[in-house]
Amino acid sequence: MSVILDLNSDLGEGFGVWQLGDDMALLSIVTSANVACGFHGGDPTIMRRVCAEAISRDVSIGAHVGYRDLAGFGRRAMDIEPDRLADDVLYQLAALDGIARSEGGRVRYVKPHGALYNRTVIDQVQAGAVVAAVSAYDPSLPVLGLPGSQLLRQADEVGLKTVREAFADRGYQSDGSLAKRGSPGALITDPATVAKRCVKMATTGQVTAVDGGAVAVRARSLCVHGDTPGAVELARQVRTALQDAGVQLGTFS
């Protein structure tokens, strides 16, 4: 049986005149777009432009929800009361879905961003807040997250569809968590190296951790960060390498 894998990227993360990454180029490569909803990045104009392009290219739109942290790009850990966090996630999800619907599409899944993503791997309370928001808005929406995370466990418990994700350009710890940004091996930017490890993940379900050990990473979706240096070429080589290895590319949603 052939392997089917989704290729996703975090897009729309600029703000006003400040641009981050090449959204339009990446939308010609990926099958799913995690679109920033205005809290860690993005604004209404960017959101609409990315949604319109994604819809024209039949790329699935996901709500990339994060902490209210434009200055820190959503990568600073925050302690937020669960009710308020659920409200913030609901606000972002509804805003992006409204814009997507105005362009003839809709949000197809939800994925936390940055510090919120990492927090919901281990924090039951914050993971529960995200799950509560998705359930309140649309319980048919899948949740994209790290295998074994509190987020996916709690989403599964309440009947939400869960989708396991692996990372093309991020280093892994031996326990399956992501290496902390700024630490040795946390970010991998060489396209050939990333493409090779992606083929390994897709065909064997394993990746080499930063300490040299093997980590199980069976996933349905593979992420290439839009703000990684050289992201477009990296994503292009990943797509080509996967297809050459017989992996079919297709969205999970």
Side-chain angles (χ1 to χ4, degrees):
M1 183 179 293
S2 61
V3 176
I4 302 176
L5 195 64
D6 174 64
L7 186 61
N8 78 72
S9 188
D10 303 340
L11 303 178
E13 293 181 316
F15 186 81
V17 298
W18 180 64
Q19 297 184 16
L20 181 65
D22 190 337
D23 294 332
M24 299 301 110
L26 284 166
L27 282 168
S28 70
I29 301 169
V30 301
T31 54
S32 294
N34 318 315
V35 182
C37 304
F39 273 31
H40 76 275
D43 61 32
T45 299
I46 292 173
M47 291 160 68
R48 189 170 190 179
R49 181 170 65 243
V50 173
C51 283
E53 185 69 13
I55 292 163
S56 73
R57 292 183 176 275
D58 200 26
V59 173
S60 291
I61 296 170
H64 201 30
V65 298
Y67 290 130
R68 193 189 297 264
D69 182 29
L70 278 175
F73 194 56
R75 287 182 175 159
R76 297 184 292 190
M78 294 186 170
D79 290 317
I80 300 178
E81 295 176 355
D83 287 347
R84 178 183 169 192
L85 179 57
D87 291 343
D88 281 354
V89 171
L90 182 61
Y91 181 95
Q92 294 173 78
L93 173 53
L96 183 66
D97 192 40
I99 288 175
R101 288 176 184 272
S102 76
E103 294 297 324
R106 57 162 294 190
V107 165
R108 299 288 181 182
Y109 64 94
V110 178
K111 174 187 171 180
H113 163 80
L116 180 59
Y117 186 100
N118 292 328
R119 186 69 171 268
T120 59
V121 171
I122 58 174
D123 190 312
Q124 295 183 17
V125 175
Q126 292 210 1
V130 174
V131 169
V134 177
S135 298
Y137 187 77
D138 184 350
S140 72
L141 289 175
V143 176
L144 181 61
L146 199 70
S149 64
Q150 282 291 329
L151 178 67
L152 295 195
R153 288 174 184 168
Q154 293 193 41
D156 184 65
E157 287 173 358
V158 301
L160 297 179
K161 179 181 178 181
T162 59
V163 182
R164 296 183 298 178
E165 178 181 38
F167 288 86
D169 50 5
R170 290 294 313 279
Y172 280 82
Q173 302 281 14
S174 58
D175 63 357
S177 64
L178 298 179
K180 185 177 181 180
R181 283 185 177 271
S183 65
L187 186 64
I188 306 164
T189 59
D190 177 67
T193 300
V194 173
K196 184 177 180 180
R197 76 197 298 259
C198 287
V199 170
K200 181 178 180 179
M201 284 190 279
T203 58
T204 71
Q206 291 189 334
V207 67
T208 302
V210 292
D211 65 1
V215 178
V217 288
R218 293 197 179 277
R220 176 63 176 84
S221 188
L222 188 63
C223 177
V224 176
H225 286 92
D227 67 323
T228 295
V232 174
E233 180 59 25
L234 191 153
R236 186 175 290 118
Q237 289 199 31
V238 166
R239 183 183 178 100
T240 298
L242 288 171
Q243 291 177 322
D244 288 347
V247 177
Q248 291 184 304
L249 295 179
T251 180
F252 57 84
S253 58

